């Protein structure tokens, strides 16, 4: 039995390269927040379901120019960096971390500050059409619990990580886990506190979160691998993010950081690793074998990645890829903006950027992706990375959805035109409604 029926035009990813348009469909949502069926006008039940839902005031009919899309899934974002989004991007990485990021994250020892930031941040993600996010918190258990609480309170599907950073060589005294034992105890405490909290919609999942290889001692990495196995939890970290970070792992361990994470049992089918701009073919194959997903953060990579992730190649190899905003290495929480940047960066990777070279030597052939592929990353790709039945408008998926308004439609656009315009021109002001588990969580 439906508790909500949404009627209108919808777009959903068919596969990595194609978008399916559903015209005047009925998306039928049950009382537990699952899509139980999607009917098109030629289905025999269409008229009766429409009449019945209208009679019971369970029908939401989209207006002309409104479209239903799956909610976006942000696979990589640092919630405590929200106050510095759009700042310090011209600074070198060491300054960005030590002058801006670490002092800001250290302030989350204050729960009042944490509440203020996280309340606004969760609301902002929803307002941009994001219905699920895999987030780094800080090293503070209490502040991370505030973030989990805001997700539940506002209705965002949150994957929340207690950050581990216990290596005194790479983290300042004022913002570091003071021993490996304390770091692992804090992670376990956070997991238990989240799992004990009443959460009828099961919106929050704790995540094992080694910040990145340089921040962690060997013992911490090993301990986090054990915790992930003990509690059967997702893992998030960074991988092959930049020239510096890749070289660091080689200098310390004599191997790439993907292999280091694998050595410590941190590459699993529940792992999501951000960036990967410096991954070798061997690293890509290792991630594929482990079914570990990559969070592509195209805006952040412009500033800190020292390269462009070859998304098209990874998808062709069979790797799992989704999309991340990487607040605040990226300056915007909008996955629409990241969809655009993913396409633009892929075009520059294909053509190359040094026009003083002959055209055939400038770029990496066959690297470009389309808006349809970038949309796949933001929806179905992200859901597959999280092993979450969502990211598509289809029976058996969670009703995590957004209603957006297209503007400047002149009446002669094809369905494909409308989709492309939505990808290129949608801003937060155009996101009208957001549903998580079939529940209205944001209205504009
Ligand atoms: Zn990051």
């Amino acid at each position: 039995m439906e508790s909500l029926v949404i009627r209108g035009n919808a777009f959903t990813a068919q596969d990595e390269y194609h978008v399916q348009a559903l015209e005047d469909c009925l998306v039928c949502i049950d009382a537990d927040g699952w899509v139980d069926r999607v009917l098109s006008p030629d289905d025999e039940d269409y008229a009766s379901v429409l009449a019945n839902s209208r009679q019971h005031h369970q029908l939401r009919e989209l207006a002309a120019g409104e479209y239903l899309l799956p909610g976006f899934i942000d696979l990589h974002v640092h919630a405590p960096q929200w106050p510095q989004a759009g700042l310090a991007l011209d600074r070198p990485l060491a300054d960005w971390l030590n002058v801006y990021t670490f002092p800001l994250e250290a302030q989350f020892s204050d729960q009042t500050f944490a509440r203020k930031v996280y309340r606004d941040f969760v609301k902002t993600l929803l307002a941009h059409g994001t219905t699920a996010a895999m987030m780094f918190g800080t090293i503070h258990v209490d502040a991370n619990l505030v973030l989990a609480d805001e997700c539940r309170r506002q209705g965002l599907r949150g994957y929340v990580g207690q950050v581990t950073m216990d290596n005194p060589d790479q983290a300042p005294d004022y913002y570091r886990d003071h021993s490996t034992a304390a770091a692992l105890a804090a992670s376990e405490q956070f997991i238990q506190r989240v799992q004990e909290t009443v959460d009828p919609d099961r919106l929050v999942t704790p995540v094992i979160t080694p910040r990145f290889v340089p921040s962690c001692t060997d013992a911490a990495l090993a301990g986090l691998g054990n915790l992930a196995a003990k509690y059967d939890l997702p893992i998030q970290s960074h991988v092959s993010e930049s020239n510096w970070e890749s070289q660091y792992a080689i200098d310390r361990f004599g191997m790439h950081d993907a292999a280091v994470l694998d050595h410590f049992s941190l590459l699993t089918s529940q792992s999501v690793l951000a960036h990967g701009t410096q991954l070798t073919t061997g690293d890509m194959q290792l991630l594929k074998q482990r079914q570990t997903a990559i969070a592509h953060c195209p805006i952040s990579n412009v500033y800190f990645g020292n390269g462009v992730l070859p998304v098209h190649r990874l998808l062709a190899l069979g790797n799992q890829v989704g999309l991340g905003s990487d607040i605040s290495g990226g300056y915007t929480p909008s996955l629409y903006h990241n969809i655009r940047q993913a396409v633009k960066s892929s075009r520059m990777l294909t053509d190359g950027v040094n026009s003083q070279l002959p055209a055939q030597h400038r770029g990496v052939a066959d690297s470009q992706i389309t808006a349809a592929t970038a949309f796949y990353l933001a929806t179905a790709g992200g859901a597959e990375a999280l092993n979450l039945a969502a990211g598509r408008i289809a029976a058996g998926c969670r009703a995590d959805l957004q209603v957006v308004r297209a503007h400047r439609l002149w009446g002669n656009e094809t369905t494909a035109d409308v989709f492309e315009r939505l990808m290129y021109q949608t801003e937060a002001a155009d996101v009208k409604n957001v549903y998580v588990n079939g529940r209205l969580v944001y209205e504009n």
Side-chain angles (χ1 to χ4, degrees):
M1 185 63 194
E2 281 84 33
S3 66
L4 173 67
V5 174
I6 303 177
R7 178 191 190 184
N9 297 321
F11 291 105
T12 188
Q14 186 173 312
D15 57 29
E16 292 92 329
Y17 306 102
H18 302 96
V19 176
Q20 186 183 8
L22 305 167
E23 292 189 30
D24 197 21
C25 66
L26 300 180
V27 178
C28 304
I29 299 163
D30 71 17
D32 295 324
W34 296 89
V35 174
D36 61 7
R37 51 187 175 164
V38 179
L39 300 176
S40 66
D42 45 9
D43 277 300
E44 60 177 303
D45 290 345
Y46 187 93
S48 61
V49 169
L50 179 59
N52 200 37
S53 59
R54 185 174 279 143
Q55 188 191 343
H56 290 94
H57 306 289
Q58 293 167 332
L59 181 66
R60 161 82 167 87
E61 291 191 88
L62 303 197
E66 292 179 351
Y67 292 84
L68 185 68
L69 307 176
F72 286 157
I73 296 170
D74 190 337
L75 273 191
H76 182 69
V77 54
H78 297 262
Q81 294 174 20
W82 177 227
Q84 68 171 18
L87 301 184
L89 292 169
D90 292 330
R91 297 292 193 102
L93 181 63
D95 280 8
W96 183 82
L97 283 173
N98 292 306
V99 180
Y100 287 84
T101 305
F102 290 154
L104 171 59
E105 290 194 14
Q107 288 183 59
F108 285 76
S109 58
D110 174 354
Q111 286 178 61
T112 308
F113 179 67
R115 178 69 67 182
K116 189 169 142 189
V117 172
Y118 289 154
R119 180 183 295 148
D120 185 64
F121 180 63
V122 168
K123 185 179 166 199
T124 304
L125 287 182
L126 291 170
H128 285 81
T130 295
T131 51
M134 196 174 215
M135 298 179 273
F136 280 53
T138 60
I139 65 172
H140 314 100
V141 173
D142 289 331
N144 296 332
L145 290 169
V146 169
L147 177 56
D149 182 61
E150 283 299 326
C151 291
R152 281 186 294 264
R153 217 175 52 76
Q154 298 193 49
L156 178 74
R157 199 179 292 289
Y159 294 77
V160 179
Q162 164 79 28
V163 172
T164 299
M165 41 192 292
D166 70 329
N167 183 3
D169 295 342
Q170 294 294 328
D173 282 344
Y174 67 83
Y175 186 53
R176 185 176 76 231
D177 294 303
H178 283 294
S179 71
T180 305
L184 295 174
S187 284
E188 190 154 20
Q189 191 197 353
F190 176 69
I191 294 164
Q192 291 173 349
R193 296 275 299 273
V194 170
Q195 293 186 339
E196 286 160 13
T197 306
V198 177
D199 184 7
D201 290 338
R202 300 194 58 176
L203 283 177
V204 176
T205 304
V207 183
I208 301 294
T209 308
R211 186 175 194 113
F212 62 166
V213 165
S215 322
C216 296
T217 61
D218 293 20
L221 292 169
L224 291 174
N226 291 339
L227 275 182
K230 178 177 172 186
Y231 290 91
D232 189 26
L233 288 177
I235 297 164
Q236 63 182 340
S237 193
H238 301 82
V239 74
S240 300
E241 173 175 4
S242 63
N243 295 336
W244 172 82
E245 185 261 337
S246 292
Q247 190 58 44
Y248 175 92
I250 294 167
D251 293 343
R252 180 168 142 197
F253 291 97
M255 55 178 135
H256 293 172
D257 59 352
V260 173
L261 294 169
D262 192 44
H263 174 77
F264 291 109
S265 307
L266 291 163
L267 292 193
T268 73
S269 62
Q270 296 191 75
S271 302
V272 177
L273 302 180
H275 307 304
T277 54
Q278 311 300 320
L279 290 171
T280 63
T281 303
D283 298 332
M284 293 176 189
Q285 284 163 346
L286 175 62
L287 297 187
K288 185 192 163 189
Q289 273 171 13
R290 299 289 182 261
Q291 297 175 275
T292 289
I294 298 164
H296 178 33
C297 305
I299 292 179
S300 173
N301 291 164
V302 171
Y303 297 97
F304 300 112
N306 304 125
V308 175
L309 185 76
V311 173
H312 187 255
R313 179 150 177 253
L314 284 159
L315 292 175
L317 286 170
N319 284 81
Q320 285 183 18
V321 189
L323 202 61
S325 66
D326 194 25
I327 291 288
S328 67
Y331 52 77
T332 172
S334 169
L335 286 193
Y336 286 98
H337 283 246
N338 278 282
I339 282 171
R340 293 162 207 161
Q341 187 64 48
V343 174
K344 288 184 275 188
S345 293
S346 80
R347 302 293 294 244
M348 295 176 86
L349 181 61
T350 297
D351 287 343
V353 294
N354 183 354
S355 61
Q356 302 308 300
L357 294 174
Q360 68 272 25
H361 296 309
R362 271 181 225 152
V364 180
D366 198 26
S367 294
Q368 69 207 51
I369 63 169
T370 64
T373 293
F375 173 69
Y376 164 85
L377 300 181
T379 57
E384 281 160 26
L386 296 175
N387 305 293
L388 177 67
R392 287 190 158 93
I393 299 175
C397 284
R398 290 280 181 192
D400 293 1
L401 304 163
Q402 55 177 319
V403 176
V404 295
R405 281 180 279 239
H407 41 108
R408 289 189 287 280
L409 290 181
W410 304 100
N412 57 350
E413 292 87 353
T414 64
T415 306
D417 292 339
V418 173
F419 171 76
E420 199 169 3
R421 182 156 293 157
L422 285 173
M423 292 303 105
Y424 281 108
Q425 293 201 333
T426 301
E427 299 294 340
D430 307 311
V431 177
K432 190 170 178 194
N433 297 132
V434 178
Y435 297 86
V436 174
N437 273 341
R439 204 155 56 82
L440 184 66
V441 294
Y442 175 77
E443 196 165 14
N444 174 16

